[in-house]
Amino acid sequence: MNASAPRPHADADELLRAELTELLPPPPVPDLTAERNQDLRHAVLRTALGTGDGATVRPVRARRPRQGLRLSWIVAPMAACAVVAGVAVLAPQDGPTGSPGRVTAGQSASPEAVRILSGAALAAASAPAPAVRPGQYVYVRSLVAHAGRDASGSPATLPPAHRREVWLSVDGNRPGLLREPGAADTELGAEAPVYELDGPGATPRKTTMATSPPSVTNPTHAYVAALPTDPEVLLRLIQDQTRAGEGDADQRAFTAIGTLLAETWAPPKVTAALYGAAARIPGVTVLPSAKDAAGREGVAVARTAHGEQTQWIFDRTTSAFLGERTVLTGSTSAGRAGTVLGVSAVLAKGAAAAPGELPKD
């Protein structure tokens, strides 16, 4: 009896990819509960990320963006979608080597947090690479609000969120710009003038303060684009460069990653590695619901230190990073437990020709 030879793994993947592509867009699934839908999504994500040695993520053709929108202008990447057993899952368009969304066993974050961050890594891997050329500026538009206290020491109050725009040069060699309503434009990264004295009675000599080299805490686009794409290596680098801070070292690393996600426009492989690094930080948990400064509701991963909880909010459907919140976890003079101390929402990222100019797309 003749037995058919098994088809090569690559051919099977190609066939599956073609079948999945033809099923786009995914149909509604009214019969699944939210919990069951999430379980199935996670199961498919784990399969897509690979469970065997040497497994890699195969590309899936992305859906065409809506007319009038350019992907280089949208902060929330439009991930490709595949349909498996009626469940919509995110699949990479250009998956980086080593399956960026995979998080190995034995990580310190909660299993739920690992699943959320794995989905975010997978979505990041399918985002288009930043279209920023040398000489241009990375533009980031967001909504932000920070709580303040008056001189009497009353509890902190959170004002309405306001628009915030920043322009940062690609290599950091030219001043950037910060623009917020009701305030004068602020030049970012300019060399501050200082005066030196060569001795008692000498005439002050004007000079400039040396600027710090690019780093995790002082990032430029060029620096971020060259960060390691291995999550473990990247986490070690972040921990090393945030070592000088005070307090919880793991919280410093978590905060630094959040800043990179919100304030830079990293390449897909780097963004995926940032999520993988965060999944390796002890104490990272999940909140079932949180809202960003724009009122967008999503699921959040969070970490608590020094009586404050930092939350990263993700879109439930696309796993895109939406924004952050900082919340008191215990009652203090600043307010009761649950008081929001700060909130943000990332609205757009793009490439601009000069500070103060909007991206053309």
Side-chain angles (χ1 to χ4, degrees):
M1 182 175 182
N2 294 330
S4 300
R7 298 187 62 181
H9 183 268
D11 290 345
D13 282 348
E14 291 296 329
L15 178 59
L16 177 60
R17 181 179 64 178
E19 293 174 350
L20 296 179
T21 301
E22 298 204 2
L23 289 173
L24 292 173
V29 191
D31 295 334
L32 293 179
T33 65
E35 293 79 9
R36 179 58 176 161
N37 183 53
Q38 185 180 38
D39 290 341
L40 289 175
R41 284 169 56 88
H42 293 326
V44 178
L45 281 171
R46 288 193 294 271
T47 302
L49 289 170
T51 56
D53 295 336
T56 57
V57 180
R58 298 290 178 180
V60 177
R61 187 173 63 190
R63 294 191 306 181
R64 181 178 300 176
R66 288 182 295 174
Q67 186 174 4
L69 294 178
R70 294 282 298 275
L71 286 178
S72 60
W73 173 239
I74 304 172
V75 61
M78 298 186 67
C81 292
V83 179
V84 180
V87 181
V89 298
L90 300 170
Q93 192 175 25
D94 183 19
T97 302
S99 296
R102 175 188 292 177
V103 179
T104 58
Q107 303 306 325
S108 299
S110 72
E112 294 81 5
V114 171
R115 285 196 291 268
I116 296 297
L117 291 168
S118 295
L122 186 60
S126 65
V132 187
R133 299 189 302 273
Q136 290 188 315
Y137 290 75
V138 171
Y139 169 81
V140 180
R141 185 172 77 240
S142 58
L143 290 176
V144 298
H146 301 287
R149 304 176 68 182
D150 58 28
S152 65
S154 61
T157 57
L158 189 71
H162 65 271
R163 180 168 171 153
R164 180 178 184 271
E165 297 173 287
V166 293
W167 288 262
L168 302 171
S169 73
V170 170
D171 54 14
N173 290 334
R174 288 157 298 157
L177 184 69
L178 167 64
R179 177 171 293 170
E180 295 179 285
D185 288 353
T186 302
E187 196 173 61
L188 301 176
E191 294 183 347
V194 295
Y195 293 86
E196 294 182 352
L197 290 176
D198 296 325
T203 301
R205 177 166 48 86
K206 186 177 181 179
T207 182
T208 56
M209 185 180 298
T211 58
S212 301
S215 65
V216 167
T217 56
N218 182 38
T220 64
H221 181 74
Y223 178 84
V224 172
L227 284 173
T229 56
D230 182 296
E232 293 184 2
V233 175
L234 180 56
L235 180 58
R236 287 196 295 269
L237 173 66
I238 293 170
Q239 291 171 330
D240 182 65
Q241 295 195 7
T242 58
R243 196 178 303 278
E246 298 180 355
D248 187 336
D250 291 323
Q251 186 68 14
R252 292 198 301 270
F254 188 78
T255 300
I257 293 173
T259 301
L260 291 173
L261 293 171
E263 293 289 298
T264 68
W265 197 13
K269 292 182 180 181
V270 173
T271 303
L274 288 170
Y275 290 126
R280 288 162 167 77
I281 296 177
V284 180
T285 59
V286 168
L287 291 177
S289 179
K291 288 185 178 181
D292 68 6
R296 299 175 298 190
E297 191 273 342
V299 62
V301 297
R303 194 176 191 281
T304 302
H306 313 299
E308 296 181 5
Q309 185 178 75
T310 301
Q311 306 169 1
W312 300 347
I313 306 166
F314 295 92
D315 185 278
R316 295 182 185 278
T317 302
T318 66
S319 293
F321 180 86
L322 299 179
E324 292 184 273
R325 287 205 320 168
T326 302
V327 181
L328 283 177
T329 57
S331 297
T332 68
S333 61
R336 296 180 178 179
T339 298
V340 179
L341 300 180
V343 63
S344 67
V346 182
L347 302 180
K349 295 183 181 180
E357 293 187 14
L358 294 179
K360 293 182 178 179
D361 297 330

